Amino acid sequence: MPSHIFIPGLNLLSVKLVPSHLLYLNEWHEEAIQKADNGDVSTSICLQGAFIELALSGHLTHDWMGILDEYLTDDESAPIAYSEKYGQRLYGFRDQAKQSTILSIHTRWWIENIQKGTPSVEHDKYAALLMPRKLMNGLIYDHDVSETIIRHRMKTELTMSLAYSLEIIGAADRLNDELKMQVIASLVDSKKCPPTGYMSTEYFRLQALRILDAVDHFPIGIEESIDACATDLEVGYCDFSMVDKRDAYMGTVKRTARDKPIHSPLTACHVIALTEAIGEALARDRINKRLDEYSRHMEKQPMDIPSFQMRDVPIPFGTDRTPIEVLCAAHHIRRNLET
Amino acid sequence: MLGYIRVEDFLIRTKGEVIGRLVTDAKDRVYRRAYQWQDEGSTLVVQRSDGKGDAVRIAKTVPLTEALIAFFGLYSGDGAKGSEDTNKPGIIVPTISFSQKEPNLVRFAVDHFRKLCPGDIRFTFSLGEDSAYFMAGDGAELLQEYYISQGLPGTPDTQPLISCRQELNDKDREYMAEVRPDVTGANEDYLAFYYTHKAAMEAILTEVKRQDLSNAGVLLRESDRVTASLRRPFKKGARQPGGTSRSDEIHVGGLNGFGELFLKVLHEIEDSIVRDSTTSASGLVEWIGIPSQSGQILDIKQFFTSNTYGYIARQRPNWLADDIVYLRGQWPRSGETTLHKQIRVDPLWCYTSGLYLAEGTTDKAKLFRMFSEAPGSMGLSFTSSEGTSIELMLRTLHKLFPIAECLKAWKVKVGSQYFPELVVTGLKQGVSMLRGGNSGDGKLRTMEISLAIREWALAVADEPLTQISLLRQHYSDRFSHVEPTGSGVARIDFWCSSTLCRWYFPLLMYTVFGEIVADPIQGFY
């Protein structure tokens, strides 16, 4: 089935889209392809455009590979995240915008898989782009693009980059025992990849361990983190727990009284995947029950996809709806219909 | 004189009730207070209607001079707005205190508090510091000198915690439980250092503050106090032994219960300037005319040719062109700049002069020394989480410089508390968050997140206005990036070409201090 590691459980060919989803996705897609045809495009737009086409038409209707070749490939044939024109959306960012990230490599690899079929893809070519990014510390991340030391990197970035890389390296049949051992050791090292309580971080950790056939090494107690991510939410889950926010430097608890968590269909997809790692049946039932309630909620309010806000200021801080979130919402509605 | 604070008229009209809304640090809160007052000739004695708090003397009608308007701008940036009542969330109880280290600004603020409220008010000057400052470097030397002055051979060894602090209080226990990834060593040892040397460190800080005030010419009255506020090691700011996290506070006594009325004045001044309205919404502030059309006209060329404030490093600028609309000038060793030929020193100009002194990111000491000595590199940049402040600063710069040259670029700084929100913003678009710089405080490398936060910033800039903001109107395409930073709510930060500083700063200083310091080369500490 056409699926993507980023959205567990979602079969893009059998998404149940309600009219409001269809309207949103069609409008987003139209604007995206217009800009992409003009060279104003990023790999994340290509990926979401491809998701929409699979959900709406069952196959890719736009030549995303052509877009990727034309605008999102550097002089050394490496996939890059942003086109030159897209880089101009930020002032004075043109030089930095030209960056070959693990996500851009994975997106190109995934779209090529969809377009040509997996057997026709040169997986080794993509794996060769990723292997130099493997560090002595057993992790694979974009240290050439972002030189930030590991302690200050976002933990989701670390596990997500790793899971994406391992998926490709595995497809290229280059996951040897030594590499597996090094990566597993890092994933279970609480200094490099401490248990975080972030749903996305833990989901990608689980995915990486699954690719490595080492799910048994997933940290225990994920159910407590999942429960914490439901705090102060009527429905669903936030990616993180507000009350657990701590100062990165001083270790002190942050003041979060005015900060409001948001539920996210994407996060709920990650939580569904994480329930497999819950050892205790009661906890698993409790969380599944909340997920079922969330599915019913999304069926009633299919476009209830909020954004954060900065304390009391009623202005969206960051994005609310995106194609990814809408497709995840549709996935939850389908789950509800199936149950 | 540009207007009046109509205290008596306002109190009579509202029957003594003051109510208002306060949005700071992205917190939206209200304040409310009922007052009674006594007529004592040209002044009123105002007190809370429940009889609690201080009886505060204030003129029935307070003339709003350029300097007093600037004082309110300064307070808007550096002054405390109050704290939330724990039993009544969303209700703020204002307190009047002021955070400022620069001695000349401290003196300016003290003088204006005394002018505004000529009764029995008193000041407590407090110097706060992290005790880690005394563990190494300059702080350790000060500590050693102190002990030697007390007859000891040097700094004595730190006692075991059990000896210097036999019973821990709640804050000690909280401190002991905290984990600081960046700090090596044990909390117990640090707490022992704190209690062993607490008295000595407080004495040093008190003396430092006392000396600063004396040098700036702040005359301490008998009722004024100088104190130290010492924090446990690495509690805030300092990340290594010898690191500093100095904070200077002025607590104003004798104004207990007056905070709501003071805040109301501040808000009415700001609001009437934003709306360019002759009278503020509740009539508390009344300008002598439409604010943007009130105030003396300054001829820019004349100012920089003959005014005592028209110097930098005892030099004056050269003039390259003088046409119908613009001047072109150049300071020695600086670039050419285009300027409007005149500015009006209106309430906006005065208010933002004080606001910039509080919130602008320029080193304050340089502003006071630049008249007599080369200031070195200077920058003109401004940070605020509130759209009103951003708008007012841009309006001010537009008065002096052509629109296209006012702002170089802008960014949004986001404190670490909100990094998880940034991560989720990226995830919603299928990307992870890549930071820039070794410690992650450089330009965010993930454009999708920066672009999403740009929309937030433009909406924040628009939000308090009835029209679209200058930021959106003229500079929406100059958004550079999101910058992850240590702490704080998300805020807009813009910066200008450094050549503009040399023109704006002398005018700003003249506006604030022109009445009280005739010669800036000699008159500042």
Side-chain angles (χ1 to χ4, degrees):
Chain A
M1 73 177 187
S3 61
H4 193 282
I5 190 172
F6 188 71
I7 315 176
L10 173 66
N11 181 348
L12 287 160
L13 296 184
S14 58
V15 182
K16 273 276 182 221
L17 294 165
V18 298
S20 55
H21 290 164
L22 279 168
L23 182 65
Y24 171 84
L25 293 173
N26 275 315
E27 284 181 356
W28 190 97
H29 183 260
E30 187 57 32
E31 188 185 339
I33 59 171
Q34 275 183 20
K35 287 185 175 166
D37 289 346
N38 200 23
D40 181 6
V41 67
S42 65
T43 47
S44 65
I45 288 175
C46 294
L47 181 66
Q48 294 182 86
F51 282 172
I52 291 172
E53 288 166 15
L54 291 171
L56 296 182
S57 308
H59 64 282
L60 297 184
T61 57
H62 204 74
D63 180 15
W64 292 110
M65 281 302 291
I67 298 282
L68 291 165
D69 284 340
E70 182 70 21
Y71 301 116
L72 293 164
T73 305
D74 69 10
D75 297 340
E76 291 162 2
S77 302
I80 54 175
Y82 310 115
S83 70
E84 189 178 347
K85 194 158 194 175
Y86 190 92
Q88 292 169 20
R89 291 189 188 191
L90 291 180
Y91 183 78
F93 201 77
R94 193 179 294 186
D95 292 344
Q96 288 100 330
K98 195 173 179 182
Q99 48 185 265
S100 179
T101 60
I102 290 170
L103 265 65
S104 60
I105 294 166
H106 188 275
T107 297
R108 191 189 164 91
W109 171 80
W110 185 82
I111 289 177
E112 194 174 340
N113 271 274
I114 296 293
Q115 194 152 318
K116 292 182 180 172
T118 301
S120 306
V121 176
E122 287 181 69
H123 303 292
D124 206 57
K125 180 183 77 179
Y126 291 99
L129 291 169
L130 294 167
M131 291 305 282
R133 296 171 199 240
K134 190 185 85 62
L135 300 179
M136 292 295 287
N137 62 19
L139 296 173
I140 305 174
Y141 55 83
D142 289 309
H143 48 88
D144 288 343
V145 176
S146 163
E147 68 270 40
T148 305
I149 58 171
I150 192 165
R151 189 152 58 78
H152 293 316
R153 298 186 87 92
M154 297 295 106
K155 302 306 172 233
T156 299
E157 186 240 326
L158 292 177
T159 58
M160 185 173 166
S161 295
L162 189 61
Y164 276 36
S165 300
L166 292 174
E167 190 179 25
I168 294 174
I169 293 167
D173 204 19
R174 289 174 69 166
L175 269 180
N176 57 42
D177 286 346
E178 189 193 338
L179 178 61
K180 281 185 178 179
M181 185 177 69
Q182 281 191 27
V183 175
I184 293 168
S186 295
L187 275 173
V188 300
D189 182 346
S190 61
K191 289 193 190 77
K192 287 181 182 136
C193 289
T196 60
Y198 300 133
M199 295 298 95
S200 51
T201 307
E202 298 310 322
Y203 161 69
F204 287 114
R205 186 203 304 268
L206 182 65
Q207 284 290 12
L209 288 169
R210 178 166 290 119
I211 293 166
L212 296 165
D213 202 17
V215 173
D216 292 344
H217 293 287
F218 188 75
I220 58 168
I222 188 66
E223 56 273 23
E224 288 170 20
S225 299
I226 295 173
D227 286 340
C229 289
T231 306
D232 293 335
L233 279 174
E234 284 186 22
V235 292
Y237 293 95
C238 187
D239 187 58
F240 54 91
S241 162
M242 285 287 175
V243 292
D244 289 341
K245 280 185 175 180
R246 283 187 177 270
D247 188 296
Y249 290 106
M250 310 311 288
T252 46
V253 175
K254 290 283 193 185
R255 291 177 192 169
T256 58
R258 298 186 116 81
D259 296 333
K260 297 165 192 72
I262 57 165
H263 65 82
S264 153
L266 172 65
T267 299
C269 286
H270 289 164
V271 171
I272 291 169
L274 284 169
T275 54
E276 295 167 24
I278 297 173
E280 191 194 336
L282 272 175
R284 193 164 49 243
D285 290 347
R286 181 178 67 246
I287 291 162
N288 276 327
K289 191 178 166 199
R290 187 174 174 93
L291 286 165
D292 291 344
E293 285 167 6
Y294 187 60
S295 294
R296 285 193 289 277
H297 172 80
M298 291 313 298
E299 190 183 10
K300 283 182 197 156
Q301 297 183 51
M303 294 302 273
D304 178 20
I305 303 170
S307 66
F308 291 103
Q309 68 177 48
M310 190 56 49
R311 294 185 173 169
D312 300 338
V313 177
I315 294 171
F317 181 71
T319 317
D320 50 10
R321 295 162 189 166
T322 62
I324 286 172
E325 285 280 50
V326 167
L327 289 167
C328 289
H331 175 59
H332 293 298
I333 293 170
R334 183 187 170 86
R335 278 185 82 236
N336 187 43
L337 295 174
E338 284 174 351
T339 56
Chain B
M1 202 270 297
L2 294 170
Y4 302 94
I5 307 170
R6 304 275 188 199
V7 182
E8 184 181 33
D9 294 349
F10 170 78
L11 289 173
I12 291 170
R13 187 164 47 253
T14 63
K15 299 182 179 64
E17 184 173 63
V18 170
I19 186 163
R21 183 171 285 280
L22 174 74
V23 180
T24 53
D25 292 335
K27 297 176 196 167
D28 187 352
R29 296 164 294 183
V30 296
Y31 56 90
R32 182 176 196 168
R33 178 69 66 202
Y35 290 98
Q36 56 185 337
W37 63 95
Q38 285 181 348
D39 189 328
E40 296 201 354
S42 62
T43 61
L44 300 174
V45 175
V46 181
Q47 191 171 18
R48 286 168 53 161
S49 63
D50 59 10
K52 294 178 181 170
D54 294 311
V56 179
R57 185 177 299 277
I58 187 168
K60 287 178 176 175
T61 300
V62 180
L64 274 166
T65 62
E66 286 85 348
L68 185 59
I69 300 166
F71 164 75
F72 278 104
L74 188 70
Y75 193 91
S76 170
D78 280 344
K81 310 300 183 303
S83 51
E84 207 161 314
D85 186 336
T86 47
N87 298 320
K88 296 177 186 168
I91 308 289
I92 196 165
V93 180
T95 50
I96 300 181
S97 69
F98 196 76
S99 305
Q100 182 55 252
K101 172 185 172 185
E102 207 294 315
N104 294 288
L105 288 174
V106 170
R107 181 181 158 191
F108 175 78
V110 167
D111 286 349
H112 279 84
F113 275 123
R114 285 181 174 147
K115 274 186 198 167
L116 186 66
C117 302
D120 180 25
I121 65 167
R122 55 199 177 275
F123 296 92
T124 301
F125 300 94
S126 169
L127 170 52
E129 182 57 281
D130 192 310
S131 47
Y133 172 66
F134 293 95
M135 290 178 173
D138 294 345
E141 282 180 26
L142 283 174
L143 193 60
Q144 172 138 325
E145 284 168 18
Y146 175 82
Y147 279 118
I148 290 170
S149 74
Q150 300 298 305
L152 296 175
T155 304
D157 290 341
T158 297
Q159 297 170 29
L161 185 60
I162 191 72
S163 306
C164 59
R165 185 71 169 172
Q166 283 155 4
E167 200 165 318
L168 300 182
N169 63 20
D170 288 347
K171 288 203 167 178
D172 294 331
R173 281 187 283 275
E174 183 187 307
Y175 179 82
M176 293 284 278
E178 287 167 0
V179 178
R180 293 177 175 75
D182 271 13
V183 178
T184 54
N187 287 354
E188 182 176 337
D189 295 339
Y190 293 132
L191 199 58
F193 177 89
Y194 173 77
Y195 280 114
T196 300
H197 303 293
K198 188 166 184 273
M201 294 186 288
E202 285 177 342
I204 293 167
L205 293 175
T206 304
E207 188 49 33
V208 167
K209 188 68 193 175
R210 194 179 290 279
Q211 199 59 46
D212 277 355
L213 294 168
S214 170
N215 289 341
V218 177
L219 296 175
L220 296 180
R221 296 177 180 174
E222 206 168 303
S223 55
D224 296 336
R225 290 175 59 223
V226 181
T227 64
S229 170
L230 195 67
R231 293 186 287 271
R232 289 165 181 78
F234 312 109
K235 187 67 186 169
K236 189 183 174 191
R239 289 170 191 167
Q240 68 275 327
T244 181
S245 174
R246 177 172 170 163
S247 61
D248 294 63
E249 294 282 334
I250 309 169
H251 301 282
V252 189
L255 296 179
N256 188 8
F258 189 70
E260 287 83 355
L261 184 54
F262 185 84
L263 267 191
K264 189 70 179 174
V265 173
L266 175 62
H267 289 157
E268 294 263 308
I269 288 174
E270 184 178 276
D271 182 57
S272 56
I273 292 172
V274 171
R275 293 187 298 110
D276 200 22
S277 171
T278 306
T279 308
S280 66
S282 62
L284 181 55
V285 171
E286 188 179 315
W287 303 105
I288 56 173
I290 295 170
S292 62
Q293 294 171 24
S294 306
Q296 63 162 320
I297 300 280
L298 267 187
D299 181 298
I300 297 298
K301 191 171 182 180
Q302 192 181 358
F303 177 87
F304 284 104
T305 305
S306 60
N307 195 289
T308 54
Y309 280 74
Y311 286 103
I312 287 182
R314 298 175 189 268
Q315 292 181 306
R316 293 197 184 270
N318 300 312
W319 300 103
L320 307 172
D322 184 352
D323 62 28
I324 297 170
V325 184
Y326 293 116
L327 293 167
R328 280 191 75 73
Q330 186 174 30
W331 284 92
R333 298 173 298 283
S334 185
E336 292 181 18
T337 307
T338 304
L339 304 128
H340 288 289
K341 297 182 79 164
Q342 295 179 328
I343 60 157
R344 188 187 286 278
V345 184
D346 62 0
L348 166 68
W349 183 274
C350 301
Y351 186 79
T352 54
S353 294
L355 184 63
Y356 190 84
L357 283 170
E359 298 275 64
T361 45
T362 313
D363 178 2
K364 304 296 180 296
K366 283 186 178 178
L367 292 178
F368 290 93
R369 288 201 306 264
M370 69 180 177
F371 300 101
S372 58
E373 58 188 71
S377 65
M378 284 200 292
L380 201 174
S381 61
F382 185 78
T383 305
S384 182
S385 59
E386 286 125 49
T388 304
S389 300
I390 296 291
E391 177 74 8
L392 291 179
M393 276 311 303
L394 289 175
R395 282 188 200 173
T396 300
L397 294 173
H398 283 194
K399 287 160 71 73
L400 185 59
F401 306 109
I403 288 171
E405 293 175 28
C406 282
L407 185 150
K408 202 168 179 184
W410 60 282
K411 63 189 172 189
V412 175
K413 290 176 158 184
V414 181
S416 58
Q417 178 169 354
Y418 297 101
F419 289 179
E421 280 85 343
L422 295 181
V423 170
V424 171
T425 295
L427 290 173
K428 280 170 171 272
Q429 298 174 80
V431 293
S432 60
M433 175 172 150
L434 288 171
R435 300 172 68 175
N438 191 51
S439 56
D441 52 4
K443 280 185 181 180
L444 199 69
R445 303 304 298 261
T446 307
M447 284 187 67
E448 289 87 345
I449 301 173
S450 288
L451 289 166
I453 300 305
R454 171 181 173 273
E455 297 310 308
W456 168 84
L458 290 171
V460 165
D462 288 344
E463 197 267 338
L465 309 171
T466 51
Q467 73 284 6
I468 65 167
S469 62
L470 294 177
L471 189 72
R472 186 186 290 277
Q473 199 177 338
H474 298 293
Y475 309 113
S476 62
D477 61 347
R478 296 208 192 167
F479 174 67
S480 170
H481 62 281
V482 163
E483 182 177 297
T485 185
S487 61
V489 295
R491 62 262 191 203
I492 299 164
D493 179 284
F494 72 76
W495 62 98
C496 313
S497 163
S498 60
T499 58
L500 306 193
C501 301
R502 290 163 197 267
W503 303 96
Y504 177 55
F505 292 157
L507 289 161
L508 174 156
M509 295 296 282
Y510 169 73
T511 306
V512 180
F513 297 101
E515 280 178 24
I516 49 178
V517 176
D519 179 6
I521 291 177
Q522 305 288 340
F524 292 123
Y525 160 54

